[in-house]
Amino acid sequence: MATIKQVAHEAGVSVATVSRVLNDKGYVHQDTRKAVLKAIEDLDYNPNSVARSLFKKTSNTIGLLIPDITNPFFPQLVRAVEDVMYPKGYTTILFNSDENIQHELDYLKGMTSKYIDGFIIVSNTLKWEHLAPLNVPVVALDRHIDNKIASVTIDNYESSRRALEFLVDRGCKRIAHLAGPSHVFTSGERRRAYQDFMNEEGLDSIIQQGAYELQSGMLNTMQLLTKDKQIDAIFAGNDVMAIGALKAAAKLGIKVPKELSVMGFDGVEWGTAVTPELTTMQQPIYQIGKKAAEMLLKRLENPKVSAEHVRLNAELTIRQSTI
């Protein structure tokens, strides 16, 4: 493996001159620069990224913190972030927090000590006081953290109301809600919309507390449908739970959508891989991740830019699980 000293010797210059070329700092004559670049190519020299990060106090690396990599919503976000950051020369390091604040704090501390350049964060537990000391740009994704931190989110409340309006317009009257985790902001907004809407329509609220998981979605739906055979629709807090509801209906011999309508939320790719295909409130998942990455790039170029809060819209995608 070639060293910087060998590059300098090959080009007939000093190590300091090679360093100026590598870091694009300081004046170097064009002919000298060409000689250094040729020596780098001839020797297949690869600068030590760790050493360079220690010298420059940057690493061309960003951190992406998500709560659950097994939830198919998040890999689609990760793909979008990487598609934006990689062409700009940044490596994305992924961290799965399991919604554990100590894990999140340890991750942030460890990555900051390695001169990471910025963070994109999906968290229900981190607050401004945890992030302010980082001294690097931060963008909150999917969930709003603080007005001082840039964010990209969805209007979960209004989108949920539109989903419920669709079910009522199709004649559904006894609609149950599979609620997501109580501590998750998106779940809370979807549950709040359900309760408000059902109250306004004079319909009974039927809520089963659960998690953003397929197995709990299936078991909770089986419990609901066994206890209340009049339920004619399920509004699930996310697509994974809705797919669990489809499995529950199949196990109980309930026909979807003839006897039961099922509505999800998110628009993950799994929704088209099941039978019947899932009707859902489709989030622009790729666009959410892309926008967050673009906002982080803007802050990396100008850390003093004011916090921007972007709210995108979910769209009703009608498939086979509703009448």
Side-chain angles (χ1 to χ4, degrees):
M1 183 180 294
T3 67
I4 192 170
K5 288 184 179 179
Q6 290 173 311
V7 172
H9 182 267
E10 179 75 12
V13 300
S14 68
V15 169
T17 299
V18 176
S19 180
R20 285 196 293 273
V21 172
L22 289 172
N23 295 293
D24 198 24
K25 289 187 176 180
Y27 173 76
V28 179
H29 191 278
Q30 190 62 31
D31 291 341
T32 303
R33 181 180 296 277
K34 288 180 180 178
V36 170
L37 292 175
K38 185 176 187 306
I40 289 171
E41 182 178 359
D42 291 344
L43 296 173
D44 194 25
Y45 173 63
N46 183 25
N48 187 308
S49 60
V50 175
R52 291 187 69 186
S53 68
L54 289 172
F55 175 75
K56 298 173 66 179
K57 302 295 189 291
T58 63
S59 62
N60 275 47
T61 303
I62 67 149
L64 176 53
L65 187 153
I66 61 173
D68 182 9
I69 191 60
T70 65
N71 184 330
F73 175 79
F74 293 110
Q76 291 179 242
L77 284 179
V78 173
R79 175 60 185 268
V81 170
E82 289 188 327
D83 283 353
V84 173
M85 301 306 297
Y86 179 75
K88 297 295 183 179
Y90 286 90
T91 298
T92 301
I93 297 178
L94 181 65
F95 184 80
N96 185 80
S97 73
D98 292 321
E99 299 281 8
N100 184 313
I101 189 169
Q102 192 56 54
H103 289 178
E104 292 174 339
L105 292 173
D106 289 345
Y107 168 69
L108 294 174
K109 181 180 179 181
M111 290 298 98
T112 303
S113 68
K114 294 177 174 61
Y115 301 115
I116 203 157
D117 296 328
F119 293 96
I120 296 175
I121 292 174
V122 183
S123 174
N124 291 289
T125 54
L126 292 173
K127 303 184 185 306
W128 167 250
E129 53 264 32
H130 300 128
L131 301 174
L134 294 179
N135 292 319
V136 296
V138 176
V139 175
L141 182 57
D142 189 47
R143 300 155 197 187
H144 182 83
I145 295 177
D146 190 277
N147 286 335
K148 295 184 284 293
I149 298 171
S151 64
V152 185
T153 59
I154 288 289
D155 192 333
N156 290 277
Y157 182 87
E158 288 301 327
S159 296
S160 297
R161 289 184 64 95
R162 284 164 51 207
L164 292 160
E165 286 170 1
F166 169 80
L167 292 174
V168 169
D169 287 346
R170 293 301 187 275
C172 300
K173 297 187 180 300
R174 195 155 181 79
I175 306 169
H177 178 45
L178 291 179
S182 57
H183 67 282
V184 175
F185 173 78
T186 55
S187 170
E189 287 295 281
R190 294 167 196 178
R191 176 175 178 148
R192 184 169 69 89
Y194 170 82
Q195 290 174 307
D196 288 350
F197 181 85
M198 298 299 279
N199 183 58
E200 292 166 14
E201 293 292 317
L203 300 173
D204 292 336
S205 290
I206 307 165
I207 299 175
Q208 185 74 21
Q209 186 65 52
Y212 281 163
E213 300 170 354
L214 188 146
Q215 187 71 5
S216 71
M218 182 182 71
L219 295 175
N220 285 333
T221 301
M222 291 183 74
Q223 184 177 343
L224 279 170
L225 297 178
T226 300
K227 288 198 306 186
D228 188 342
K229 300 185 185 301
Q230 301 304 310
I231 291 173
D232 56 11
I234 297 285
F235 170 52
N238 78 344
D239 283 347
V240 175
M241 287 195 293
I243 293 169
L246 291 176
K247 289 175 66 68
K251 285 178 177 292
L252 294 172
I254 296 172
K255 297 177 182 178
V256 177
K258 185 177 180 180
E259 299 172 308
L260 178 74
S261 291
V262 178
M263 167 75 74
F265 198 115
D266 277 346
V268 301
E269 293 175 350
W270 285 11
T272 59
V274 294
T275 303
E277 293 187 4
L278 183 66
T279 295
T280 187
M281 290 305 297
Q282 178 96 35
Q283 296 198 56
I285 303 175
Y286 190 90
Q287 285 73 20
I288 294 170
K290 180 174 182 287
K291 183 62 178 178
E294 291 170 347
M295 289 168 64
L296 183 60
L297 281 174
K298 184 189 298 185
R299 280 151 184 77
L300 289 169
E301 295 169 359
N302 180 12
K304 294 183 179 180
V305 68
S306 60
E308 180 183 5
H309 301 284
V310 175
R311 181 173 286 186
L312 301 176
N313 296 315
E315 298 295 332
L316 177 64
T317 299
I318 303 170
R319 300 195 184 107
Q320 300 161 353
S321 67
T322 53
I323 296 173

